[in-house]
């Protein structure tokens, strides 16, 4: 079955894909072309939110665009809603979905923009869709890489490359120690390690040899992205360097800052603890961007860390039913089903409004 050529809008292509190797692999294929593209990633729970974000961006840009979705199958209701939404937009928007999940059959039958082929993974489908934009040498290289991803994604256990392919799946899914909101940077990192792996694999090196090189490959991503003194500091753990990179590019667009009794408090929602710890150390102690950091989970439980001169224990006891040390404390909100960062910030603000500050009692 031949794959349709990728849409080529007059304006930007907005490419939404899954959050696993095949999802990133599909975007890696598009990234090999000269197409102007904005990338987005979502798991199945976040498809609707991601589409909302993309549509809002297209409306704001006010120019013709294309929406490409790969490695995410829609429900029939989602497909109907999207088709109707795109049809009502004031600017022309081309729509295309490349899927390999059998559960998308109803959508593929209902909409001509929904292409389904269960015999090839999304990376391979996307490669076929962009192949005519690549020169001959790159075309053959990308074909081999897409077929390699296909081995792992479709679990072709009898293939000689199966063990290597599932290793790459795990490598791409590993924590990169970058701040969760920095999605573009995290994607660039995944492209970087994929490229390093493929070069090693194509040169005939063993997995053990690649694992020995992995530290250098990861560190190579930081070159030009962090200061030379940080990059060259051999007594600074590599993960801490990734935390410092995150802190250097985070601002209030990613980390909202609330005033709690005059204390600048950054709010961080559902971050891995080690990444949170490392990033806030740099934001608080080195850059002076905030005086206190609040890490909060979807269940409403929170952790506080504070600079000298701020008593996190007292603040937690006063507002969040907790307590602890001046520099480190814990607590919780009454709302135990927080959906996202905006919901968390709203819940914190409501809690603050209901509780008198120390000097008001």
């Amino acid at each position: 079955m031949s794959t349709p050529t990728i849409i080529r809008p007059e304006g930007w292509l907005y490419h939404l894909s899954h959050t696993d190797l095949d999802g990133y692999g599909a975007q890696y294929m598009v990234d090999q072309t000269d197409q102007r593209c904005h990338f987005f990633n979502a798991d199945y729970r976040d498809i609707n939110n991601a589409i909302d974000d993309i549509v809002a961006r297209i409306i704001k840009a006010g120019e013709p665009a294309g929406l490409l979705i790969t490695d995410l199958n829609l429900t029939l209701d989602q497909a109907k809603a999207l088709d109707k939404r795109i049809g009502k937009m004031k600017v022309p928007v081309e729509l295309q979905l490349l899927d390999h999940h059998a559960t998308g059959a109803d959508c593929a039958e209902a909409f001509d923009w929904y292409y389904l082929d269960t015999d090839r993974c999304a990376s391979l489908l996307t490669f076929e869709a962009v192949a005519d934009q690549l020169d001959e040498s790159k075309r053959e290289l990308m074909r081999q890489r897409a077929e390699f991803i296909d081995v792992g994604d479709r679990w072709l256990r009898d293939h000689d490359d199966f063990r290597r392919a599932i290793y790459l799946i795990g490598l791409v899914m590993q924590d990169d120690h970058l701040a969760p909101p920095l999605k573009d940077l995290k994607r660039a990192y995944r492209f970087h390690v994929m490229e390093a792996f493929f070069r090693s694999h194509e040169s005939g090196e063993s997995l053990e040899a690649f694992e020995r090189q992995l530290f250098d490959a990861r560190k190579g991503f930081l070159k030009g992205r962090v200061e030379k003194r940080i990059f060259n500091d051999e007594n600074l753990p590599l993960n801490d360097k990734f935390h410092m990179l995150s802190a250097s590019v985070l601002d209030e667009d990613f980390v909202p800052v609330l005033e709690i009794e005059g204390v600048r408090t950054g709010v961080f929602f559902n971050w891995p603890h080690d990444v949170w710890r490392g990033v806030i150390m740099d934001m608080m102690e080195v850059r002076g961007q905030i005086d206190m950091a609040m890490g909060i989970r979807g269940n409403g439980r929170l952790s506080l860390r504070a600079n000298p001169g701020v008593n996190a224990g007292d603040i937690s006891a006063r507002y969040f039913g907790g307590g602890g040390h001046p520099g480190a404390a814990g607590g919780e909100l009454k709302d135990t089903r927080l959906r996202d960062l905006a919901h968390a910030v709203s819940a914190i603000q409501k809690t603050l409004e209901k509780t008198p500050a120390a000097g008001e009692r």
Side-chain angles (χ1 to χ4, degrees):
M1 186 183 295
S2 60
T3 308
T5 302
I6 195 172
I7 52 178
R8 299 290 299 272
E10 292 180 28
W12 286 87
L13 176 68
Y14 295 77
H15 184 179
L16 173 63
S17 199
H18 200 197
T19 53
D20 61 2
L21 171 62
D22 195 29
Y24 287 112
Q27 293 178 325
Y28 176 76
M29 296 299 155
V30 174
D31 196 51
Q32 306 305 311
T33 73
D34 60 1
Q35 193 141 356
R36 293 192 302 159
C37 192
H38 295 301
F39 292 121
F40 304 81
N41 295 88
D43 60 23
Y44 281 90
R45 297 171 303 174
D46 295 328
I47 290 175
N48 292 340
N49 289 337
I51 290 175
D52 287 346
D53 182 23
I54 292 169
V55 169
R57 290 170 185 258
I58 293 174
I59 291 171
K60 184 177 181 180
E63 64 178 14
L67 171 54
L68 170 67
I69 302 175
T70 56
D71 201 34
L72 288 167
N73 68 275
L74 305 183
T75 66
L76 189 56
D77 285 343
Q78 283 177 320
K80 288 178 180 178
L82 179 58
D83 187 74
K84 185 176 181 180
R85 191 172 188 179
I86 295 299
K88 288 184 174 181
M89 294 189 68
K90 294 181 180 179
V91 294
V93 179
E94 295 181 72
L95 182 59
Q96 185 177 49
L97 192 148
L98 303 177
D99 187 23
H100 70 111
H101 301 100
T103 46
D106 289 346
C107 297
E109 186 175 343
F111 301 101
D112 57 6
W113 50 263
Y114 198 116
Y115 178 80
L116 177 65
D117 182 347
T118 59
D119 292 328
R120 290 174 291 171
C121 72
S123 296
L124 191 49
L125 290 175
T126 307
F127 161 74
E128 295 287 354
V130 303
D132 64 351
Q133 298 183 44
L134 308 177
D135 62 41
E136 187 174 349
S137 60
K138 180 178 277 191
R139 187 183 308 132
E140 182 54 32
L141 181 64
M142 290 302 118
R143 179 188 301 279
Q144 292 172 9
R145 292 181 178 183
E147 289 175 346
F148 182 93
I149 294 172
D150 188 63
V151 170
D153 190 71
R154 293 200 300 123
W155 210 252
L156 305 180
R157 297 189 62 174
D158 293 333
H159 197 284
D160 290 344
D161 285 333
F162 176 70
R163 182 65 61 179
R164 285 171 170 257
I166 60 173
Y167 172 83
L168 181 57
I169 291 174
L171 181 64
V172 167
M173 298 302 291
Q174 284 177 7
D175 184 10
D176 49 38
H177 282 267
L178 290 165
L182 301 176
K183 295 180 180 179
D184 290 341
L185 192 64
K186 291 165 80 70
R187 185 184 309 105
Y189 171 78
R190 280 162 172 77
F191 287 178
H192 176 83
V193 295
M194 286 167 63
E195 186 77 28
F197 173 86
F198 280 128
R199 286 198 303 267
S200 175
H201 170 68
E202 289 153 5
S203 68
E205 293 178 336
S206 66
L207 282 181
E208 186 173 306
F210 174 72
E211 287 195 313
R212 292 195 195 101
Q213 301 165 21
L214 185 55
F215 177 91
D216 290 335
R218 292 188 68 223
K219 184 177 178 180
F221 180 74
L222 298 173
K223 191 169 185 178
R225 288 185 165 95
V226 296
E227 299 173 34
K228 284 185 178 180
R229 64 175 181 81
I230 294 174
F231 184 84
N232 293 324
D233 189 342
E234 295 183 356
N235 288 312
L236 191 62
L238 185 59
N239 288 342
D240 283 7
K241 295 180 182 182
F242 276 85
H243 300 157
M244 291 176 176
L245 170 60
S246 293
S248 72
V249 295
L250 285 168
D251 56 30
E252 289 194 31
D253 289 337
F254 299 106
V255 179
V257 177
L258 303 179
E259 289 277 340
I260 303 179
E261 297 187 3
V263 176
R264 295 173 301 162
T265 305
V267 181
F268 305 77
F269 182 72
N270 268 351
W271 282 35
H273 182 77
D274 192 50
V275 177
W276 179 71
R277 175 199 57 78
V279 170
I280 66 170
M281 282 176 61
D282 201 62
M283 292 183 71
M284 293 166 62
E285 299 173 15
V286 179
R287 301 177 188 278
Q289 293 168 285
I290 53 177
D291 303 308
M292 186 167 70
M294 180 185 297
I296 185 165
R297 299 289 175 189
N299 61 8
R301 294 187 178 277
L302 55 87
S303 297
L304 295 171
R305 299 293 184 270
N307 275 338
V310 176
N311 194 320
D314 282 353
I315 290 174
S316 181
R318 191 148 44 245
Y319 295 100
F320 306 115
H325 308 288
E332 59 185 3
L333 297 173
K334 291 182 179 179
D335 194 333
T336 60
R337 295 185 178 182
L338 302 175
R339 296 183 302 275
D340 52 27
L341 177 61
H343 188 189
V345 170
S346 175
I348 294 165
Q349 289 174 325
K350 289 178 181 178
T351 299
L352 295 175
E353 291 168 1
K354 291 179 180 179
T355 308
E360 298 174 355
R361 297 191 172 193

